[in-house]
Amino acid sequence: MVMALIFSNSILAQLTLKSEGLQISTDNTGKVTELINTTTGIDYLNRDTVSFFISLISGGKRHNAVSVKYNPGDSIMVFGFDESKVRVEVKFTQLKTHLTFEVVKAEPAALVDAIAWGPVYTSISEKIGEVVGVVRDKDVSVGMLLLNAKTLGGHYNKSGVCEDRGSLALPWKSGSSMQAYSLNRDKFRFVDVMGHSDIPLNPIKGETVTGSKIALFSCTEPNTLDVIEKIILAEGLPYPTVDGVWTKKAFLHSRSYLISDFKESEIDQVIGYANRGGFFSVYHEGPFNTWGHFELDTAFFPNGKEGIKICAEKAREAGLFFGVHTLTNFITPNDPYITPVPDQRLAITGFGFLQTDIDNMTTEIRVSTKTFFEDTLNNNLHTMMIGSELIRYKSVSEDEPFTLFDCQRGAFGTIAGNHSKDDTIKKPIDHSYKVFFPNIEMQREIAVNLAKFFNETGISHLDFDGHEGCFASGEGDYASCLFAEDFYKTIDHEFVNGTSRSKPFYWYINTLCNWGEPWYGGFKESMQEYRISNQAMLERNFFPNMLGWYMLTKNTTLPEMEWMLARAAGWNAGFAMVIRTKAIGSNPSGLVLLDVIHEWETARLSGAFNDTQKERLKDSGNEFHLEKIKDREWNLYQFETTLPFVYEKIEKQPGEPTSSTFEVDIISFPQKLGFSIEITGNSGTVKNFNIQIDHYTDLAIPTELKAGETLICDGSGIIRIYDEQGKLKSSLDFTDKIPTLDPGRHQLTLDADFAGDEPLKAEMTVKWMKNPERIKASE
């Protein structure tokens, strides 16, 4: 290691520090003067804006350093902030892979609100990993990594919450910036929490900015993940593994998992579904009766922990992970943390004091303030707490004496009691899911509760869903990362985990981010654009590509499933498939759809699709069919869709045919006719459709479509009717009635009856498969 020092009377002119890949220098006021990758010799410091290495937030204002002192031999830089009288000591270390910087003293602590690392501005703009904190071009990576949970990624804000997915690195002018900060939590503060403003927050004793720590590194771009892994091991950071392999590498190729609502008696059946579909995990969508202590719902697991333990063991023996779903730190009102005696560590928006004595029958209660009780936008349970009693109220008076009206005493199974004037009355934070939240101390206990439950049962998969609930503690990103870290430190076996909200320090623990919910429509309608927009973010942050949750229903068809699987193949993305036992049993193609998922996933994970095919597969306007030829070899068919042929009501002379004719060229092989008919317009109906092929074969469809509805025939023998929202309305069995079209040109004639005064149109498209492309596994 090389360290070049030019100093006079312990005041630096310049300090230069080196690792194997990075050389960084600062001047005697703490400004960064160079940021050199030692392999390329290029200085990547962006001089559009001055980069201050460290700053102080004091009295609500940001102060840049005005001096840096160095005492030779002790590796301590002392930053001075003259205006605030604060001195910050930073210890630096020079290691082979990286440099570290740690705040070891910041005094006087009473004047320190926070310290901020950077921003350090770079000229790199090609890939900016906002969560991992690494910026890259085709040759070089430069990164700022967080070395503990108290160090937050992003620009300072008083509540310690980055509302973005991450902001440890961000675009900046012609390049990028890297920045982090730590709050002094050993001070009484006011913070903004989950829609509530200026919530009073008690100090966490000893939790100052001392200990805030970052690493800086640079390397060649292809070696980035290897270097990060070495830094993680050197610094003792969370290092989860799967079969002994770091999860960031074990999940480079994202695998998919099955979500279901099974009972413990159905575990063998569901494991069979998972193996048939090629999923890596069986994940129960809601096994708990309470959240907080995580008591099981006996409707699913009548044998309690022993029953779920047997399920987890069976899954493991089948080569699968076994997961359960919960919402991180949400606490249900039926949990022992709430009833019959509420825990005093519930997170609160604030408090007031009783203005009169009350007995256990009082229903109008006078309080010292209305501030925390009048919020209607974020007050879902209308609950307050006095001692060990929870009380629900309807409203609070506008004027003094402030009075809570229509109070329900002894709410949620607590005991109504007598209370005295000046007793404290608290307003717990709640949520539209009808739950409460813990403060930071209680939250850490809940994380341990959950991990111990996993240890007792062998469960190995969870999503930190609702991770933003940790913000209720008032401790922001620190709380959400601490929940995951506490869980990680307590669990005694390998596990994988997902989230809907990424954070920089949590990145070390997180296996995958799987955003996108299936509850809002079919495969194409439910958040599809959002799912696709996530992919670039995942790639630039070394996350496996994931498309979110989808749902196999009793009505899911092969074309719908293959439409989604084509997108997954194009983005090389995994997904979660919700397959409820009743739904798959009611779908006549249910097991076939599992086989289809298995083939597409096998082809994707084996590298069968080339880059050109992937680009076509990404396009949501393209449709495909995959057919297995032999082991690890398939035919990929792409569908060709004609432009819409428009058929509308036209007044014609008596006896003149009302039908319209158009032509279709099939340039491939014989196949069943596939088509769709969409009714466009404001109101009215179209019925009694008749399609004639080559003036010979007639296909009569005795159904009626309203404006906005669609009829789809995919060649399977079932014609389906979808409403204007894209939801399945009805279906018709046309088995053995759909004609086959030979290669060549065909004339199709469409006729129907229009009803209503509004001018409607029937827009018909024909879909056919082109010749197949043979693809083979390459891995």
Side-chain angles (χ1 to χ4, degrees):
M1 298 300 99
V2 178
M3 178 173 66
L5 299 175
I6 306 171
F7 56 89
S8 174
N9 295 325
S10 299
I11 298 177
L12 296 171
Q14 179 164 292
L15 171 65
T16 298
L17 303 174
K18 286 186 179 180
S19 68
E20 191 173 72
L22 176 67
Q23 176 176 307
I24 184 171
S25 297
T26 60
D27 68 11
N28 62 2
T29 63
K31 298 184 185 73
V32 181
T33 57
E34 61 181 13
L35 191 69
I36 298 173
N37 176 274
T38 57
T39 300
T40 65
I42 297 174
D43 186 352
Y44 290 96
L45 184 67
N46 191 331
R47 290 174 171 79
D48 285 348
T49 309
V50 175
S51 295
F52 288 93
F53 186 71
I54 194 168
S55 300
L56 166 74
I57 291 85
S58 179
K61 297 181 180 180
R62 191 182 188 105
H63 305 269
N64 295 319
V66 295
S67 66
V68 183
K69 294 181 179 180
Y70 170 77
N71 294 318
D74 63 3
S75 300
I76 299 290
M77 302 164 68
V78 182
F79 291 84
F81 304 86
D82 284 352
E83 182 182 343
S84 66
K85 309 298 184 183
V86 173
R87 296 293 180 268
V88 176
E89 295 185 10
V90 174
K91 180 180 180 180
F92 59 84
T93 59
Q94 299 174 101
L95 302 170
K96 183 176 181 180
T97 50
H98 63 292
L99 307 170
T100 69
F101 301 88
E102 180 180 7
V103 175
V104 293
K105 185 182 291 185
E107 294 182 346
L111 297 180
V112 178
D113 297 334
I115 62 97
W117 302 100
V120 176
Y121 298 99
T122 87
S123 58
I124 297 173
S125 61
E126 187 172 328
K127 289 185 179 181
I128 300 171
E130 63 268 49
V131 184
V132 67
V134 178
V135 298
R136 297 179 276 161
D137 61 21
K138 61 183 176 61
D139 300 315
V140 166
S141 294
V142 178
M144 177 185 287
L145 302 181
L146 308 183
L147 298 186
N148 49 42
K150 73 186 300 174
T151 311
L152 310 178
H155 294 284
Y156 162 79
N157 72 79
K158 69 172 186 175
S159 297
V161 175
C162 169
E163 289 298 342
D164 298 322
R165 291 166 173 171
S167 53
L168 182 52
L170 289 172
W172 177 259
K173 294 186 177 179
S174 59
S176 55
S177 67
M178 301 179 296
Q179 52 276 314
Y181 67 102
S182 285
L183 297 174
N184 182 2
R185 302 178 190 276
D186 194 5
K187 296 177 71 173
F188 184 85
R189 298 180 290 137
F190 288 94
V191 297
D192 299 334
V193 174
M194 299 178 71
H196 304 279
S197 299
D198 294 325
I199 302 305
L201 191 65
N202 289 323
I204 302 177
K205 186 173 178 57
E207 186 56 58
T208 66
V209 299
T210 300
S212 181
K213 190 175 182 181
I214 63 167
L216 294 175
F217 76 96
S218 185
C219 62
T220 57
E221 196 281 333
N223 293 326
T224 306
L225 210 54
D226 291 333
V227 171
I228 293 175
E229 182 178 18
K230 291 175 182 177
I231 295 172
I232 287 172
L233 292 171
E235 297 297 329
L237 293 167
Y239 185 73
T241 60
V242 173
D243 295 329
V245 179
W246 184 35
T247 52
K248 288 292 185 287
K249 292 182 175 179
F251 273 76
L252 281 174
H253 298 298
S254 48
R255 290 175 276 171
S256 301
Y257 54 101
L258 181 152
I259 300 174
S260 189
D261 61 347
F262 57 92
K263 299 176 181 177
E264 66 179 85
S265 60
E266 298 170 319
I267 183 61
D268 294 329
Q269 177 183 352
V270 174
I271 287 174
Y273 293 155
N275 283 329
R276 187 162 180 171
F279 298 106
F280 84 86
S281 180
V282 169
Y283 187 91
H284 198 287
E285 64 178 85
F288 296 112
N289 183 48
T290 77
W291 295 334
H293 284 83
F294 304 102
E295 298 174 348
L296 287 166
D297 187 340
T298 55
F300 291 114
F301 295 96
N303 292 304
K305 287 183 181 178
E306 188 58 34
I308 205 167
K309 180 179 180 180
I310 291 172
C311 291
E313 289 175 349
K314 286 187 173 184
R316 185 170 59 252
E317 291 169 358
L320 300 170
F321 283 82
F322 185 87
V324 294
H325 193 69
T326 182
L327 288 178
T328 306
N329 70 333
F330 290 34
I331 306 172
T332 52
N334 61 335
D335 188 84
Y337 279 127
I338 304 299
T339 185
V341 179
D343 197 294
Q344 295 301 304
R345 298 170 298 170
L346 290 174
I348 62 172
T349 63
F351 59 91
F353 302 96
L354 285 178
Q355 297 298 284
T356 61
D357 294 343
I358 63 172
D359 62 24
N360 61 4
M361 300 296 290
T362 305
T363 59
E364 292 188 0
I365 300 176
R366 289 176 55 186
V367 293
S368 60
T369 179
K370 67 174 182 177
T371 301
F372 308 107
F373 305 100
E374 65 181 350
D375 184 359
T376 56
L377 293 177
N378 300 287
N379 189 3
N380 301 280
L381 292 174
H382 279 245
T383 300
M384 60 181 176
M385 180 166 62
I386 310 176
S388 59
E389 181 185 0
L390 293 176
I391 301 170
R392 300 188 74 179
Y393 64 96
K394 185 175 183 179
S395 60
V396 61
S397 63
E398 287 290 328
D399 303 312
E400 294 187 82
F402 300 120
T403 305
L404 300 172
F405 297 112
D406 296 328
C407 295
Q408 299 175 10
R409 304 298 302 277
F412 303 113
T414 61
I415 305 301
N418 301 328
H419 305 285
S420 303
K421 179 183 178 182
D422 295 327
D423 280 356
T424 301
I425 180 167
K426 302 176 183 178
K427 177 68 183 71
I429 297 178
D430 58 35
H431 188 273
S432 60
Y433 283 17
K434 309 302 182 186
V435 293
F436 297 102
F437 294 100
N439 69 10
I440 191 67
E441 177 191 352
M442 185 179 174
Q443 176 195 292
R444 301 193 72 172
E445 184 174 289
I446 290 174
V448 171
N449 291 345
L450 186 60
K452 286 182 176 179
F453 180 86
F454 276 48
N455 292 343
E456 293 170 6
T457 57
I459 296 170
S460 54
H461 181 187
L462 82 157
D463 282 341
F464 288 110
D465 197 6
H467 212 162
E468 66 277 9
C470 295
F471 298 162
S473 68
E475 303 297 345
D477 290 353
Y478 172 65
S480 63
C481 293
L482 204 60
F483 189 98
E485 186 180 40
D486 286 338
F487 181 91
Y488 170 80
K489 287 180 176 180
T490 306
I491 195 169
D492 62 8
H493 55 278
E494 291 186 332
F495 74 105
V496 297
N497 66 98
T499 187
S500 58
R501 184 178 291 265
S502 53
K503 293 294 174 184
F505 184 79
Y506 172 52
W507 183 89
Y508 301 121
I509 298 169
N510 185 209
T511 314
L512 50 89
C513 298
N514 197 26
W515 289 297
E517 298 181 356
W519 324 116
Y520 312 114
F523 285 14
K524 298 181 182 181
E525 292 81 20
S526 190
M527 303 176 70
Q528 188 61 26
E529 291 184 7
Y530 176 71
R531 299 169 192 267
I532 298 303
S533 70
N534 287 329
Q535 302 313 306
M537 188 284 300
L538 297 173
E539 289 175 355
R540 63 180 176 259
N541 286 289
F542 301 103
F543 285 120
N545 288 77
M546 299 294 291
L547 281 177
W549 292 22
Y550 292 92
M551 180 181 287
L552 188 158
T553 72
K554 65 179 182 179
N555 298 316
T556 300
T557 65
L558 175 62
E560 289 173 326
M561 183 65 75
E562 289 203 289
W563 182 90
M564 185 278 294
L565 292 168
R567 309 293 84 82
W571 291 101
N572 191 19
F575 52 86
M577 185 61 66
V578 179
I579 304 178
R580 291 170 174 161
T581 53
K582 184 176 180 180
I584 191 170
S586 302
N587 190 312
S589 302
L591 297 180
V592 173
L593 292 176
L594 291 178
D595 294 335
V596 169
I597 293 170
H598 187 277
E599 292 307 322
W600 274 93
E601 286 291 275
T602 301
R604 176 178 71 85
L605 294 171
S606 66
F609 302 104
N610 62 39
D611 290 342
T612 300
Q613 290 165 339
K614 286 179 183 178
E615 288 305 310
R616 286 189 279 124
L617 288 160
K618 288 179 182 178
D619 188 339
S620 60
N622 293 334
E623 296 186 60
F624 296 86
H625 171 63
L626 190 71
E627 183 179 288
K628 182 177 180 179
I629 302 303
K630 57 183 180 181
D631 190 38
R632 297 172 66 81
E633 191 169 333
W634 303 266
N635 274 338
L636 176 66
Y637 298 88
Q638 182 170 352
F639 286 94
E640 183 75 23
T641 303
T642 64
L643 293 172
F645 168 74
V646 179
Y647 170 57
E648 56 188 319
K649 181 179 180 181
I650 300 176
E651 295 297 333
K652 296 187 177 183
Q653 62 183 338
E656 183 179 4
T658 59
S659 60
S660 296
T661 300
F662 64 105
E663 294 185 338
V664 176
D665 287 324
I666 305 297
I667 311 172
S668 54
F669 54 87
Q671 55 195 275
K672 294 287 187 180
L673 171 66
F675 63 92
S676 66
I677 299 174
E678 180 181 2
I679 307 304
T680 61
N682 295 322
S683 64
T685 61
V686 184
K687 62 181 180 179
N688 297 329
F689 298 89
N690 188 78
I691 302 171
Q692 188 178 83
I693 299 93
D694 297 329
H695 304 292
Y696 175 72
T697 304
D698 285 281
L699 180 64
I701 308 173
T703 191
E704 182 177 74
L705 299 182
K706 298 178 182 178
E709 295 185 337
T710 304
L711 177 154
I712 295 178
C713 173
D714 58 24
S716 66
I718 302 297
I719 293 178
R720 293 175 171 84
I721 313 298
Y722 294 86
D723 66 17
E724 62 274 14
Q725 302 298 322
K727 296 180 180 180
L728 183 66
K729 179 180 177 181
S730 60
S731 59
L732 304 170
D733 188 351
F734 268 59
T735 304
D736 300 327
K737 296 179 182 179
I738 307 300
T740 297
L741 301 185
D742 290 323
R745 177 164 294 186
H746 299 273
Q747 286 190 334
L748 274 67
T749 300
L750 176 63
D751 200 359
D753 298 330
F754 290 85
D757 297 329
E758 292 286 336
L760 293 180
K761 295 179 181 179
E763 298 186 4
M764 180 176 178
T765 60
V766 175
K767 184 174 72 173
W768 51 275
M769 285 190 288
K770 299 193 288 188
N771 286 319
E773 304 166 57
R774 184 64 60 91
I775 62 174
K776 298 180 180 180
S778 63
E779 298 179 6

